[in-house]
Amino acid sequence: MPRFHGQSNHAPVDIVNQLQKQYVDYLSSLFHEGVLDDQFTQLQKLQDESNPDFTVEVATLFFVDSDKLINNMAAALERSPVDFKQVDADVHQLKGSSSSIGAMRVKNLCITFRSFCETQSYEGCLICLQQVKNECAVLKDKLQNLFRMEQQIVGAGGSVPLMD
Amino acid sequence: MESCNCVEPQWPADELLMKYQYLSDFFIALAYFSIPLELIYFVKKSAVFPYRWVLVQFGAFIVLCGATHLINLWTFAIHSRTVAYVMTIAKVLTAAVSCITALMLVHIIPDLLSVKTRELFLKNKAAELDREMGLIRTQEETGRHCALWMPTRSGLELQLSYTLRQQQNPVGYTVPIHLPVINRVFSSNRALKISPNSPVARIRPLAGKYIPGEVVAVRVPLLHLSNFQINDWPELSTKRYALMVLMLPSDSARQWHVHELELVEVVADQVAVALSHAAILEESMRARDLLMEQNVALDLARREAETAIRARNDFLAVMNHEMRTPMHAIIALSSLLQETELTPEQRLMVETIMKSSNLLATLINDVLDLSRLEDGSFQLNIATFNLHAVFREVLNLIKPVASVKKLLITLNLAPDLPEYAVGDEKRLMQVILNVVGNAVKFSKEGGISITAFVAKAEYLREARPPEFIPVPSDNHFYLRVQVRDSGSGINPQDIPKLFTKFAHNQSLATRNSGGSGLGLAICKRFVTLMDGHIWIESEGIGKGCTATFIVGLGIPEKLNESKFPVLPRGSSNHVLANFSGLKVLVMDDNGVGRAATKGLLLHLGCDVTTVSSGDELLHAVSQEHKVVLMDICTPGIDSYEVAVQIHRLYSQHHERPLLVAITGSTDKVTKENCMRVGMDGVIQKPVSLDKMRNVLSELLECGHQMSSLARV
């Protein structure tokens, strides 16, 4: 059952409820699909009056970080000979970031990616890199939707429901 | 002429002649006086001398003779009448004594002579007796004889085994056993006289002049070990006898008397005992030698087996790694492939590939595990873990499969089941998963019910099989898990085979499910290692089955490791909710991770500073910071070294900030390394709000003591 926190406002309750229901459904689907995991909820819990945009900030940080890392990896894989250790280090960073933010699919891909780095399989790394890129793009897209919905709710005077 | 009353010598004084006479008389006197002295001296020396009187007489006679001659000395010149008188008296006495002595000697001398002859006679006699003795002895030796005849292995002959003097007869001389005389002796338990001419008695070729003496023979029973009773004299229940033959010396007039025969019988019994002792001793020596040989052979076999096991383990370890690497590639790539766009046929193919490769991976793991289990080199990883979480996880893992088959899964955890237990979490989960998985596999409809509770003593007594009776104690308890399914059931006859590895249950259900047949065997091994038992009951085909297992788990103490001092906790529910103003330093080289941790701590009210490297940390750390959180997963930064440095900077405990490591790994090595460098706590990723809160509050309450918070 979703819990509510924050202040309530004066907009019509139906609209707020509807928006909230939409938000909850969307977020649930993200969990269900495995895009996000429990860690994301933890991050959401940290958001409070003193830190109202915590989640957004962290997500932004993640995307900047991941873009940089992906570019590094692509560059490293184009060089020859390929420095697998460097790629591995980058993947490790990405894995850490994604697990901190709760991006489960990205994290799992990173685990697979790392094993390819260990076995120094060039084709495997390339495939994984492409996958990671795609997945990050998907995640970015979905999180942007999510944050937009949050803003709508707050704009309508409601409060963002937290998942259990 | 004067009248001097002197006596003149008889004849005229002739100077030269007189001189000579004078001298001779002197010397005679001297000799005559010294002879008795010598006699006395030597007689005194000798021990026995029977003729003392004779000696005295003789001595007197000599002395007087000497005196006479001495006095004669004075008569050469003119001498007084006194001298003449003395001379006369002396001569008279001498005459008397000499005559008596002469008469005495007549008696004595024959005696003396006879002593000598007697002595000679005795000497001769002694020599003669010696000669005779020698003769008799040789006679005895040649004549008296004792021999022991033993039956040969075939039992058809008697072999001369022992004689008094070995070198005289060739040992190995045999006689057939069925001679009448031998039968006669064997059939009686008494000593019997036999003819000296019988073959057993005729050991030496007879020398002509010897008439053989009487011969006695007696049977000697050969006893086996079983003949000896403790209380009885050995019964003569054996059929095998040896023959003891005693021969009197030739030329001897001796006869065998009855009491002598009895003596011989007694001796025969003793000989029987001695022979059996000798046989036993020989037997035991042989057995001992055999045992020693066997020992050596066994030792060699053992060493060979050990070498073989080691070789196999090495092989398995290598093969395991070699097999897993390509396996992993197949699984990883197939899962990646699944994420891409595929036609339905392609998707089906990829799914099959995935399933098969998963099966293969499981098989590889199982085989390695089982072989390690079998040769006893397997050890459980004992640690504290959340028991309830194990069941929940199993449920989560099995729910998808169950829901596809539309099976209802219910989990009942008893209220008194402890939340935490000490044991091997991974293997326990493997066992539960295997059992539940089997239940799901073999059920087409209905439901699976899983119940878990603490096994009490009454349950334990009822538990089958009855020989398994575990005893719970203060620091461990027995967990009993029962999985009931409504599936196809098992034929009761097949139940014993279930736990045998590789044995396949050839019922309809298994043909579709595959499986290596190792699962239950491994479960059984694990359960046994955990001091428990597992069994399956089923009423028959189509009636479902119930799998039950009991394992022993430890009860964790207040603090998870006993190494650490027991910290007095006022109340475990008392957790600091607000850490306002607590200065915390966070080190993490990952930007997102840094932000996440910072957010967490800010939410808890801490005053957070973040750094991204070890050097920055060492620069930034100060006495104001109460807690330092370090992410130790970062490659390239030796966080342990940083911890050591901080220790060095702050040598006194109360000034040093508390060091906490944040790690993603779950293995013991990391925890040990943290302890080694002096960390005060370890948190495992992913870090939740509650986790951080608990860790910080514990640390701050307990100060600089290492509490193991790895699984909080």
Side-chain angles (χ1 to χ4, degrees):
Chain A
M1 291 286 281
R3 279 186 287 125
F4 295 83
H5 74 150
Q7 298 175 348
S8 56
N9 219 324
H10 316 292
V13 186
D14 316 322
I15 301 182
V16 172
N17 280 350
Q18 201 184 7
L19 284 173
Q20 281 170 341
K21 185 169 177 313
Q22 264 182 344
Y23 175 82
V24 166
D25 285 339
Y26 191 65
L27 193 54
S28 306
S29 77
L30 288 183
F31 282 119
H32 209 253
E33 286 168 27
V35 177
L36 294 174
D37 65 14
D38 193 49
Q39 188 64 18
F40 188 74
T41 320
Q42 295 286 331
L43 284 182
Q44 283 190 314
K45 280 192 199 167
L46 300 177
Q47 197 157 287
D48 54 20
E49 293 85 20
S50 57
N51 222 340
D53 295 321
F54 181 66
T55 325
V56 178
E57 281 170 11
V58 177
T60 319
L61 204 59
F62 171 71
F63 288 122
V64 165
D65 204 31
S66 63
D67 282 340
K68 191 176 60 154
L69 285 172
I70 290 174
N71 289 338
N72 278 355
M73 287 190 252
L77 284 173
E78 273 169 35
R79 270 182 244 125
S80 74
V82 177
D83 185 356
F84 283 105
K85 277 213 167 51
Q86 179 56 42
V87 180
D88 186 60
D90 288 336
V91 176
H92 182 80
Q93 285 277 336
L94 187 59
K95 178 174 150 221
S97 308
S98 55
S99 67
S100 299
I101 201 180
M104 192 164 82
R105 270 211 229 161
V106 177
K107 183 182 77 175
N108 289 341
L109 281 172
C110 287
I111 296 175
T112 314
F113 200 155
R114 279 200 86 185
S115 63
F116 283 123
C117 289
E118 261 174 62
T119 54
Q120 304 210 340
S121 153
Y122 182 67
E123 287 79 18
C125 287
L126 275 184
I127 295 175
C128 274
L129 183 62
Q130 192 55 42
Q131 298 257 334
V132 163
K133 239 182 180 171
N134 292 346
E135 201 51 53
C136 284
V138 162
L139 183 67
K140 195 169 189 179
D141 194 39
K142 295 205 190 258
L143 281 183
Q144 278 172 343
N145 286 346
L146 195 73
F147 293 142
R148 201 167 21 88
M149 284 192 191
E150 279 185 16
Q151 281 172 341
Q152 281 177 340
I153 295 176
V154 171
S159 55
V160 180
L162 263 178
M163 294 296 290
D164 255 344
Chain B
M1 243 179 351
E2 305 140 13
S3 108
C4 59
N5 226 8
C6 313
V7 179
E8 282 186 2
Q10 280 13 21
W11 44 84
D14 191 330
E15 289 294 332
L16 196 59
L17 283 170
M18 260 181 36
K19 213 178 252 172
Y20 277 120
Q21 279 195 359
Y22 193 84
L23 275 174
S24 315
D25 273 334
F26 177 70
F27 275 112
I28 289 169
L30 199 62
Y32 274 18
F33 278 134
S34 59
I35 285 175
L37 288 173
E38 285 169 14
L39 273 175
I40 290 169
Y41 175 72
F42 282 114
V43 165
K44 270 226 166 76
K45 278 280 181 176
S46 82
V48 78
F49 191 73
Y51 302 107
R52 281 195 194 274
W53 262 118
V54 173
L55 189 65
V56 167
Q57 272 178 333
F58 202 63
F61 161 65
I62 294 228
V63 164
L64 284 170
C65 277
T68 312
H69 279 282
L70 189 68
I71 297 171
N72 212 20
L73 287 176
W74 272 267
T75 58
F76 286 112
I78 299 194
H79 52 274
S80 65
R81 194 150 286 269
T82 326
V83 175
Y85 278 136
V86 168
M87 183 74 200
T88 317
I89 291 169
K91 273 205 176 147
V92 169
L93 274 175
T94 309
V97 171
S98 341
C99 287
I100 295 171
T101 310
L103 283 169
M104 288 298 303
L105 279 175
V106 169
H107 293 290
I108 288 170
I109 288 179
D111 255 353
L112 281 173
L113 285 177
S114 84
V115 161
K116 208 59 189 163
T117 42
R118 233 179 278 156
E119 191 193 320
L120 207 59
F121 174 72
L122 279 171
K123 255 199 208 144
N124 284 341
K125 209 55 176 175
E128 205 185 296
L129 279 171
D130 271 337
R131 267 203 307 277
E132 230 167 86
M133 262 253 303
L135 267 173
I136 289 174
R137 204 176 282 140
T138 38
Q139 244 187 22
E140 298 264 306
E141 280 175 1
T142 54
R144 172 171 315 182
H145 209 82
C146 172
L148 189 68
W149 299 79
M150 302 273 290
T152 56
R153 285 206 189 279
S154 62
L156 296 174
E157 293 182 323
L158 280 182
Q159 190 181 38
L160 182 63
S161 319
Y162 305 103
T163 58
L164 211 55
R165 262 181 331 195
Q166 292 285 14
Q167 65 271 27
Q168 293 289 325
N169 309 297
V171 178
Y173 183 54
T174 59
V175 293
I177 204 171
H178 289 300
L179 292 176
V181 58
I182 297 177
N183 281 336
R184 192 162 58 89
V185 175
F186 278 179
S187 54
S188 156
N189 63 348
R190 307 198 50 113
L192 302 172
K193 295 191 197 164
I194 62 173
S195 153
N197 290 324
S198 60
V200 289
R202 221 168 356 139
I203 298 180
R204 288 187 69 204
L206 290 176
K209 52 185 173 163
Y210 287 118
I211 304 164
E214 287 205 337
V215 180
V216 157
V218 66
R219 73 176 186 188
V220 178
L222 291 174
L223 301 167
H224 298 291
L225 199 56
S226 53
N227 290 124
F228 285 96
Q229 311 288 321
I230 308 266
N231 296 321
D232 314 333
W233 197 248
E235 299 290 327
L236 301 181
S237 55
T238 167
K239 294 267 173 60
R240 279 164 49 102
Y241 298 109
L243 191 71
M244 187 160 75
V245 176
L246 298 158
M247 286 157 272
L248 284 181
S250 328
D251 286 351
S252 155
R254 271 185 59 197
Q255 300 251 333
W256 285 100
H257 298 126
V258 171
H259 62 269
E260 283 170 343
L261 289 182
E262 286 175 358
L263 206 64
V264 167
E265 284 155 27
V266 169
V267 168
D269 282 330
Q270 295 296 327
V271 169
V273 171
L275 280 177
S276 60
H277 279 177
I280 289 171
L281 199 65
E282 223 178 274
E283 192 68 44
S284 71
M285 296 288 287
R286 225 171 355 143
R288 195 195 64 165
D289 286 336
L290 196 66
L291 274 173
M292 276 177 58
E293 265 177 42
Q294 276 181 345
N295 259 358
V296 169
L298 278 173
D299 205 31
L300 188 66
R302 183 181 57 97
R303 267 180 280 133
E304 279 176 5
E306 276 176 8
T307 320
I309 287 181
R310 257 179 283 133
R312 184 201 59 180
N313 281 347
D314 289 339
F315 169 75
L316 276 176
V318 167
M319 282 311 294
N320 179 45
H321 181 260
E322 298 299 325
M323 286 196 283
R324 278 191 213 219
T325 313
M327 200 73 257
H328 195 81
I330 297 175
I331 294 179
L333 283 172
S334 336
S335 58
L336 280 180
L337 195 56
Q338 273 187 323
E339 306 283 325
T340 62
E341 288 205 17
L342 300 166
T343 68
E345 292 162 352
Q346 286 174 328
R347 192 163 285 276
L348 203 61
M349 287 188 234
V350 171
E351 275 173 9
T352 315
I353 293 176
M354 278 232 57
K355 259 193 258 181
S356 314
S357 43
N358 273 328
L359 255 170
L360 193 57
T362 316
L363 181 64
I364 293 173
N365 286 341
D366 281 355
V367 166
L368 189 67
D369 265 351
L370 191 63
S371 58
R372 275 197 300 148
L373 278 174
E374 289 208 312
D375 61 27
S377 61
F378 186 83
Q379 278 177 335
L380 295 173
N381 275 340
I382 307 288
T384 311
F385 63 94
N386 189 331
L387 192 57
H388 289 227
V390 166
F391 284 102
R392 277 199 291 271
E393 185 140 347
V394 168
L395 208 63
N396 287 339
L397 284 169
I398 210 76
K399 255 197 188 140
V401 183
S403 62
V404 162
K405 286 178 117 175
K406 304 247 186 334
L407 297 168
L408 177 67
I409 309 230
T410 47
L411 170 67
N412 284 323
L413 298 177
D416 64 346
L417 195 68
E419 198 181 335
Y420 289 96
V422 177
D424 191 332
E425 180 194 12
K426 185 165 150 233
R427 270 54 188 248
L428 181 65
M429 192 170 345
Q430 209 171 332
V431 171
I432 303 176
L433 203 53
N434 197 306
V435 170
V436 173
N438 278 346
V440 168
K441 225 193 284 184
F442 294 119
S443 304
K444 294 220 191 81
E445 56 187 7
I448 319 276
S449 88
I450 310 172
T451 37
F453 46 87
V454 175
K456 303 277 190 306
E458 312 86 67
Y459 283 120
L460 299 178
R461 260 181 257 122
E462 288 170 10
R464 286 168 40 184
E467 65 260 15
F468 174 70
I469 306 183
V471 179
S473 77
D474 279 339
N475 58 0
H476 65 274
F477 69 98
Y478 284 90
L479 166 73
R480 183 185 158 120
V481 175
Q482 205 160 319
V483 177
R484 213 186 295 267
D485 73 58
S486 55
S488 52
I490 304 173
N491 195 338
Q493 292 168 350
D494 290 333
I495 288 185
K497 281 193 281 178
L498 282 173
F499 293 101
T500 331
K501 58 178 182 172
F502 306 125
H504 251 193
N505 195 346
Q506 291 297 329
S507 71
L508 203 62
T510 56
R511 242 178 272 152
N512 300 330
S513 56
S516 61
L518 280 180
L520 277 178
I522 294 188
C523 283
K524 182 163 184 180
R525 298 273 197 291
F526 283 149
V527 167
T528 315
L529 272 176
M530 291 192 221
D531 194 27
H533 199 84
I534 179 171
W535 67 95
I536 293 189
E537 298 160 311
S538 170
E539 305 199 0
I541 305 278
K543 300 218 177 84
C545 87
T546 307
T548 319
F549 68 86
I550 300 184
V551 289
L553 296 169
I555 299 176
E557 304 169 9
K558 275 288 180 191
L559 258 202
N560 297 336
E561 322 262 309
S562 51
K563 291 191 233 188
F564 298 109
V566 177
L567 301 178
R569 271 208 219 168
S571 139
S572 48
N573 295 327
H574 174 247
V575 162
L576 285 178
N578 193 355
F579 302 93
S580 58
L582 180 71
K583 270 181 134 2
V584 180
L585 194 51
V586 173
M587 181 196 89
D588 189 344
D589 71 335
N590 185 309
V592 178
R594 249 195 331 264
T597 316
K598 180 171 176 179
L600 248 177
L601 291 166
L602 282 177
H603 189 78
L604 290 173
C606 307
D607 179 357
V608 186
T609 325
T610 57
V611 295
S612 56
S613 75
D615 291 330
E616 283 183 32
L617 176 68
L618 289 171
H619 276 122
V621 76
S622 70
Q623 287 185 11
E624 294 176 335
H625 295 106
K626 289 276 179 291
V627 184
V628 171
L629 285 157
M630 290 191 266
D631 186 315
I632 59 173
C633 299
T634 46
I637 296 184
D638 190 355
S639 324
Y640 300 126
E641 186 55 40
V642 173
V644 169
Q645 291 277 29
I646 293 185
H647 266 276
R648 246 181 256 150
L649 283 176
Y650 298 92
S651 46
Q652 287 162 8
H653 278 194
H654 64 271
E655 288 172 355
R656 180 171 65 79
L658 296 165
L659 296 171
V660 181
I662 305 180
T663 171
S665 73
T666 53
D667 59 26
K668 272 192 193 167
V669 179
T670 318
K671 216 163 38 142
E672 280 165 14
N673 286 339
C674 291
M675 274 157 45
R676 210 172 21 95
V677 296
M679 301 275 198
D680 299 301
V682 175
I683 302 184
Q684 212 158 42
K685 286 203 272 204
V687 186
S688 70
L689 195 60
D690 295 324
K691 210 189 270 189
M692 184 64 88
R693 197 182 285 136
N694 288 338
V695 167
L696 283 180
S697 75
E698 258 198 58
L699 269 179
L700 292 171
E701 265 190 32
C702 311
H704 285 265
Q705 278 162 332
M706 177 81 165
S707 30
S708 147
L709 306 164
R711 298 292 303 179
V712 171

